[in-house]
């Protein structure tokens, strides 16, 4: 049993991770947050510590005082509405400075990016900055999780998730699709509930790889569309956006669309989300079974 501090553990991926670790009954869990939340703390059954991420020394002292052996970061790697950048680097520095902290999972929860992606999305630069900070750390074993795209979005609200509703490629409630590129490039999808289970189980592994891969399911958009149509027993209205169109920042508007669809669409079609590592946590932890796209659709829409 070790002490685990989950940064950003009150929402989205973080809350799922907290619940999964608590469910194992193996570790002492606390949440690192910007503000205290007694009501949520009581609901989750774990303390929520209000910390100042900008004060590295004070944060390191907090980690020591609460005997946090492992830090799991689920900090959102995007600027806040006010423009404030996430304090992932400061969290890494504090964990490295803490005499008690030996491990950290850095916030990524996405796809294997290259430097060419930096100009396409602000989150990529922030993740590379965190990677540089990890390389400078002297006392930490670290990993980051690569899990593809969150499957949750196509099951909300019928399938439990703490992710905010987002419409991308398949607008299932409105029986509409705007397929990126040919629709034949495989994409890895993983539900946050499965990600959380793998995080919880990985705490018991003797060592970590620098990158921890999870593959929930791998389907093309055309396969995803077919499964959705079969599940709902209806034909969708379908458009295809070529890679050239996506590179111009143009996408077919869906009834529930969001602004960043063109960039993500390029990554889908160019195979960024079809990663195939030599080893993954699926191999290391074969007892953990992941939700498949077909199962998700049947739970949510059949």
């Amino acid at each position: 049993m070790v002490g685990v501090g989950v940064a950003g553990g009150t929402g989205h991926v973080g809350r799922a991770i907290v619940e999964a670790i608590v469910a194992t009954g193996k570790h002492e869990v606390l949440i690192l947050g910007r503000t205290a939340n007694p009501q949520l703390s009581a609901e989750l059954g774990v303390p929520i510590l209000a910390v100042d991420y900008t004060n590295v020394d004070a944060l390191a002292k907090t980690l020591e005082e609460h005997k946090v052996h492992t830090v799991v970061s689920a900090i959102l790697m995007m600027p806040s509405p006010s423009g404030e950048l996430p304090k992932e680097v400061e969290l890494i520095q504090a964990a490295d400075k803490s005499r008690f902290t030996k491990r950290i999972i850095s916030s990524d929860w996405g796809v294997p990016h290259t430097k060419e992606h930096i100009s396409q999305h602000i989150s990529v630069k922030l993740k590379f900055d965190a990677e540089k900070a990890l390389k400078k750390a002297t006392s930490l074993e670290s990993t980051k999780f690569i899990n593809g795209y969150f499957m949750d979005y196509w099951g909300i609200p019928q399938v439990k998730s703490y992710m905010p509703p987002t419409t991308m490629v398949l607008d299932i409630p409105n029986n509409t699709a705007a397929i990126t590129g040919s629709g034949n490039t495989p994409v890895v999808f993983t539900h946050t509930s499965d990600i959380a289970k793998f995080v919880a189980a990985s705490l018991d592994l003797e060592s970590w790889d620098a990158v921890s891969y999870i593959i929930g399911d791998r389907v093309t958009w055309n396969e995803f569309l077919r499964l959705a149509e079969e599940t709902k027993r209806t034909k969708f209205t379908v458009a295809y956006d070529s890679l050239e169109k996506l590179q111009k920042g143009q996408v077919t508007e869906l009834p529930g669309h969001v602004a960043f669809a063109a960039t993500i669409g390029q990554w889908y079609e160019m195979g960024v989300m079809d990663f195939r590592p030599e080893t993954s946590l699926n191999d290391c932890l074969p007892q953990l079974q992941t939700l498949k796209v077909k199962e998700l659709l049947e739970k949510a829409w059949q």
Side-chain angles (χ1 to χ4, degrees):
M1 176 178 287
V2 298
V4 181
V6 183
T10 59
H12 300 176
V13 180
R15 182 162 175 179
I17 290 171
V18 168
E19 291 183 355
I21 298 174
V22 169
T24 68
K26 294 182 178 181
H27 305 288
E28 295 290 337
V29 186
L30 60 84
I31 293 173
L32 304 173
R34 294 183 181 275
T35 59
N37 189 330
Q39 182 177 349
L40 182 58
S41 178
E43 180 181 340
L44 294 173
V46 299
I48 299 175
L49 304 181
V51 298
D52 179 4
Y53 287 108
T54 64
N55 191 329
V56 172
D57 290 338
L59 182 53
K61 185 177 180 180
T62 297
L63 295 174
E64 290 179 348
E65 289 176 347
H66 292 272
K67 298 182 179 180
V68 174
H69 175 275
T70 301
V71 171
V72 179
S73 179
I75 292 175
L76 180 63
M77 297 298 276
M78 286 287 291
S80 69
S82 64
E84 182 183 6
L85 296 179
K87 298 298 185 285
E88 181 74 5
V89 170
E90 289 82 353
L91 176 62
I92 293 168
Q93 292 171 341
D96 190 37
K97 195 166 188 175
S98 165
R99 291 172 297 172
F100 207 91
T101 307
K102 303 302 179 184
R103 280 179 152 185
I104 185 169
I105 298 175
S106 185
S107 186
D108 198 305
W109 320 109
V111 300
H113 286 298
T114 66
K115 292 183 178 179
E116 287 69 28
H117 298 149
I118 291 176
S119 63
Q120 297 179 325
H121 205 278
I122 181 61
S123 67
V124 181
K125 179 185 182 303
L126 297 173
K127 291 177 182 180
F128 270 98
D129 290 344
E131 189 173 305
K132 291 178 183 177
L134 287 171
K135 289 179 179 178
K136 293 179 181 178
T138 59
S139 63
L140 291 174
E141 181 185 18
S142 67
T143 190
K144 62 180 181 179
F145 276 66
I146 299 299
N147 46 255
Y149 210 73
F150 296 130
M151 192 190 296
D152 306 46
Y153 298 128
W154 294 275
I156 294 172
Q158 290 87 345
V159 179
K160 180 183 176 181
S161 173
Y162 296 113
M163 299 302 294
T166 299
T167 301
M168 190 70 181
V169 182
L170 296 179
D171 189 343
I172 297 180
N174 294 292
N175 302 326
T176 306
I179 302 296
T180 57
S182 65
N184 293 322
T185 304
V187 177
V188 170
F189 299 92
T190 311
H191 199 276
T192 55
S193 61
D194 288 327
I195 295 169
K197 287 189 296 186
F198 276 96
V199 171
S202 73
L203 298 176
D204 300 327
L205 295 176
E206 291 186 6
S207 63
W208 289 342
D209 292 333
V211 181
S212 297
Y213 293 93
I214 307 173
I215 300 166
D217 200 1
R218 190 193 309 272
V219 299
T220 68
W221 282 116
N222 285 331
E223 290 169 340
F224 206 146
L225 171 63
R226 176 182 57 79
L227 290 169
E229 290 180 331
E230 289 177 356
T231 302
K232 293 195 73 179
R233 295 182 175 85
T234 187
K235 295 296 290 182
F236 282 36
T237 300
V238 184
Y240 284 83
D241 292 336
S242 67
L243 183 57
E244 291 74 21
K245 181 178 178 180
L246 295 169
Q247 288 170 337
K248 294 177 182 178
Q250 301 172 354
V251 292
T252 299
E253 186 175 2
L254 290 168
H257 233 150
V258 292
F260 71 101
T263 293
I264 303 298
Q266 292 178 60
W267 294 347
Y268 288 143
E269 178 62 8
M270 296 172 73
V272 176
M273 298 193 186
D274 182 28
F275 49 89
R276 297 173 185 265
E278 291 184 6
T279 60
S280 69
L281 286 179
N282 304 71
D283 303 317
C284 299
L285 301 165
Q287 73 275 20
L288 299 181
Q289 300 300 307
T290 59
L291 186 67
K292 303 302 182 184
V293 167
K294 185 176 186 294
E295 296 173 77
L296 176 93
L297 291 172
E298 289 175 349
K299 285 184 177 183
W301 301 103
Q302 195 166 63

